[in-house]
Amino acid sequence: MGNTGSRGLLNRTPLEWLSSLPVFCLLVLTLVISTGEMLHGRMLNMGEALFGKPAEQVQYFMLRADPVRPACDRDSNAEAQLSANQKPSAAAPASDAVDALFGDKPESADDQRAALAAARNECQMKHAFYERVVNEITPGVRLFRTIETGFFALFEIGTDNRPLILLLMFAIAAVTTTLANHHISIRPPRYARDHLVTNLSMAVASALLLYSCVRYYQITSGTGLEVENPFLHLLWMLLFASLLVISVYRLWRPQSNEGLGSWGLALLSTPLFAFMGMTSGLYFLSTGHPSGQAIYINQLMELPTIFLNLALFIFAGMLLKQTDIVDRFLNLLRPWRLSPELLTYIILLAAALPTAYTGASGIFVIAAGAIIYREVLHAGGTRQLALAATAMSGSLGVVLRPCLLVVLIAMLNKQVTTAQLYHWGLFVFFLTSTLFFLLSQLRRTQREQIEVPMVAIRAMLRESVHVLPYAALAVAIVVFYDVALDTSLNEISAPTIMPVLMLLLLILEKWINRKRTRPDPSLVLPVSPSATALHPPTTSPRLEPAIRAAANETIGHIGALITLMALSLAVGGVIERSEIMSVVPLEFSSPWIAVAFLMLVLVFVGMVMDPFGAVILVSSTLAPIAYNNGIDPVHFWMIVLVAFELGYLSPPVALNQLLTRQVVGEAEIDAADAEVRHLGFYSRYERWILPVIVMLVGMVLVAFVPLGVAQFEWLEPVRQFFATT
């Protein structure tokens, strides 16, 4: 979402007031809820340490509320009670012979006296414990527990309403994305026919989704039972009604004045969201199940934490984009004067970690893709190589800790754990990154002329001064969470810690640059002829506009990505209900054939679905087939991750390539195609072919080498090596 247009109240557009501010508040609320869980756990530990008395068996959880005085009489007289029990009751009926036959043997007076004494002792212990607890409830305890329980009640409300928070955020972002024409498509709309196809497909998809949501609500309320979370149903209907109104209005008032364009290219402007919506909607209508779309997209509400974490990761990525951190770290490499191929390899290695920490492959492409593209051009690389590097920058790190996709896999499949997947993911990462290095070296035409090490190292040390403050603050924040909140940085806590970390790094940068009036000379480098068209990305010199710009971009990407995920769930429902998978045999003649088949299907799924929706589909359809054919679950999910990444880089959709197109701009894509139009096939399509070859070879090795290691005896040393790792 851009910031262009007339400014209104407090220098903000009406759209920023109606979308940016609410979504930013919901993001902050999500952070508060997640941090609140950490903080509340720490407060409970503090309460135990400050107010608990283990020696007297009094713990803080007993002091969180006023205890109830025991109802028993601790001063009871056993003899008096015994006499009262032995006195016959006038109202008691006389027992007959049958009752006497089956009745319990009367207790002796001594037994009753012992039981009454034991009850009195127990009562006295209860009263004594009650008094100890009451005596420990000091004014300090009352103050602390008021804060602790009040804080617990506050974040518990947010925790219980996570689905509502997610849907509100998604609805606002989806409407804003539609208004800004930010939905992902193979070709962005430019001409009149492009906009006609875009708006018509959006209108049809929105109408089908609205009808499905209405029917789902009618069916649910028609059962006679109380509808669970009716507000969520109404919010879904309001969302798709809004998208329908926007699309119909734009059909009535066309947007483009650039000419008609061609119908063939216009079809490529159909948003992927609209294509999935029309396909799934028409299928469910044809099968007499109009509520099917609504049922499947509501699966988003069953895993709200995953998708809220994804939104936080997107926000962290957009905050990263507003900083010069990537540029400053690249300053450490520039003195070496590396070849474009070697620099690209190092960039991909370095990009893997933030890719993992931003949750999914596409987010890092959005956040740092423009910088990576520019840097490869600066080093003398071609636009084709730069585009390939940008698309792959978000691919290699999805198998590394703490990638959110792996967390979702472990949540849905009890056969694997995140520890297992991250462990073997490290080997997969080294395999695919090494393959890229080897293949990129084959394209080199000039001898590499690396700078003299002593000269390069001295320059690196000078540049490291600008990096150290960022590194020191990052370490301090991680240590603070670990020590103060007893929360280490891992796949569970990363969605909460990373936005806070990036926000504080952004504050640090703006404070460091508070007196800077022109670009840092260290960042201005000679530009190769091929890079003259691309200017360095600009960020706001002030903090508040930078945060606002990050929030604006976050909204657009949340709307674009989560709408894809929601409709991927609907497409998954089509595949599930059409029983396409029933034609697949549950058992193959050998694991080799099973792996080959699954590999092909997984690549196709990766081509047409987003990763999170695809994982949900694969977990219920293909995973059981793999397990039935003796494929190790960890091995299977490693194949899945690599196959998905190959799908995200492969036509016809190639999501990472589409995101690369968005971040570098249409002008650069056109210039890249013009540069190589007169060259051979590989040179013309290198930005597509190079990533596909790398991931294809990697997938084949990941799929079949473990089977060979398990089957062939001469590979026993390899098996022993991996068994000990």
Side-chain angles (χ1 to χ4, degrees), residues 495-514:
T496 301
I497 297 178
M498 290 309 297
V500 175
L501 174 63
M502 292 311 309
L503 182 59
L504 293 177
L505 288 176
L506 180 61
I507 293 173
L508 171 66
E509 178 173 287
K510 299 309 177 185
W511 182 81
I512 292 174
N513 298 340
R514 64 192 183 281

Side-chain angles (χ1 to χ4, degrees), residues 573-656:
V574 171
I575 296 174
E576 182 179 339
R577 289 185 61 87
S578 63
E579 299 183 351
I580 295 175
M581 300 309 300
S582 64
V583 302
V584 179
L586 294 178
E587 294 185 4
F588 290 83
S589 58
S590 75
W592 296 83
I593 297 176
V595 166
F597 171 80
L598 292 171
M599 186 173 64
L600 294 175
V601 175
L602 289 169
V603 173
F604 173 75
V605 171
M607 287 180 179
V608 299
M609 294 184 68
D610 83 278
F612 291 89
V615 163
I616 296 173
L617 173 65
V618 170
S619 297
S620 60
T621 56
L622 296 178
I625 296 175
Y627 305 154
N628 288 339
N629 284 274
I631 301 173
D632 182 82
V634 176
H635 179 205
F636 170 71
W637 284 106
M638 286 294 103
I639 298 173
V640 170
L641 289 172
V642 180
F644 280 1
E645 286 308 313
L646 174 58
Y648 306 148
L649 293 166
S650 304
V653 178
L655 184 59
N656 282 6

Side-chain angles (χ1 to χ4, degrees), residues 352-682:
L353 188 61
T355 297
Y357 274 93
T358 49
S361 60
I363 299 173
F364 185 77
V365 175
I366 296 168
I371 298 174
I372 292 173
Y373 178 77
R374 174 169 54 91
E375 197 58 34
V376 176
L377 293 184
H378 281 156
T382 64
R383 280 186 169 89
Q384 291 288 323
L385 177 62
L387 290 171
T390 304
M392 285 201 68
S393 64
S395 297
L396 302 184
V398 295
V399 291
L400 299 179
R401 187 183 300 271
C403 181
L404 199 59
L405 197 60
V406 174
V407 177
L408 179 61
I409 291 172
M411 287 178 60
L412 298 177
N413 299 270
K414 303 306 180 185
Q415 297 86 352
V416 296
T417 64
T418 54
Q420 291 173 321
L421 295 174
Y422 289 135
H423 171 77
W424 291 105
L426 193 61
F427 289 97
V428 173
F429 166 70
F430 283 119
L431 170 66
T432 52
S433 60
T434 303
L435 286 172
F436 178 86
F437 175 72
L438 295 176
L439 289 173
S440 65
Q441 292 303 301
L442 294 177
R443 71 181 298 282
R444 285 181 52 201
T445 58
Q446 297 180 353
R447 183 177 179 181
E448 195 169 329
Q449 295 181 345
I450 298 179
E451 182 61 87
V452 177
M454 290 305 297
V455 175
I457 291 173
R458 282 197 298 267
M460 282 185 65
L461 292 176
R462 286 194 300 269
E463 291 297 336
S464 64
V465 175
H466 302 294
V467 177
L468 287 177
Y470 297 99
L473 179 60
V475 171
I477 294 169
V478 172
V479 170
F480 170 79
Y481 271 92
D482 195 9
V483 175
L485 299 181
D486 194 25
T487 303
S488 59
L489 181 59
N490 53 37
E491 61 272 17
I492 305 301
S493 62
T496 301
I497 297 178
M498 290 309 297
V500 175
L501 174 63
M502 292 311 309
L503 182 59
L504 293 177
L505 288 176
L506 180 61
I507 293 173
L508 171 66
E509 178 173 287
K510 299 309 177 185
W511 182 81
I512 292 174
N513 298 340
R514 64 192 183 281
K515 295 182 180 179
R516 183 178 298 171
T517 57
R518 59 179 183 271
D520 186 345
S522 66
L523 301 182
V524 180
L525 297 174
V527 181
S528 66
S530 63
T532 55
L534 188 70
H535 299 286
T538 58
T539 59
S540 174
R542 294 184 294 119
L543 178 63
E544 189 274 338
I547 295 176
R548 182 164 21 121
N552 290 344
E553 289 199 69
T554 299
I555 293 170
H557 295 306
I558 288 176
L561 292 175
I562 297 188
T563 49
L564 272 185
M565 294 174 187
L567 270 298
S568 289
L569 295 174
V571 172
V574 171
I575 296 174
E576 182 179 339
R577 289 185 61 87
S578 63
E579 299 183 351
I580 295 175
M581 300 309 300
S582 64
V583 302
V584 179
L586 294 178
E587 294 185 4
F588 290 83
S589 58
S590 75
W592 296 83
I593 297 176
V595 166
F597 171 80
L598 292 171
M599 186 173 64
L600 294 175
V601 175
L602 289 169
V603 173
F604 173 75
V605 171
M607 287 180 179
V608 299
M609 294 184 68
D610 83 278
F612 291 89
V615 163
I616 296 173
L617 173 65
V618 170
S619 297
S620 60
T621 56
L622 296 178
I625 296 175
Y627 305 154
N628 288 339
N629 284 274
I631 301 173
D632 182 82
V634 176
H635 179 205
F636 170 71
W637 284 106
M638 286 294 103
I639 298 173
V640 170
L641 289 172
V642 180
F644 280 1
E645 286 308 313
L646 174 58
Y648 306 148
L649 293 166
S650 304
V653 178
L655 184 59
N656 282 6
Q657 295 280 6
L658 296 181
L659 295 175
T660 298
R661 177 190 290 267
Q662 280 191 348
V663 298
V664 305
E666 285 299 308
E668 282 301 301
I669 299 296
D670 293 341
D673 292 338
E675 279 183 350
V676 296
R677 191 167 290 129
H678 61 286
L679 300 178
F681 180 81
Y682 179 85

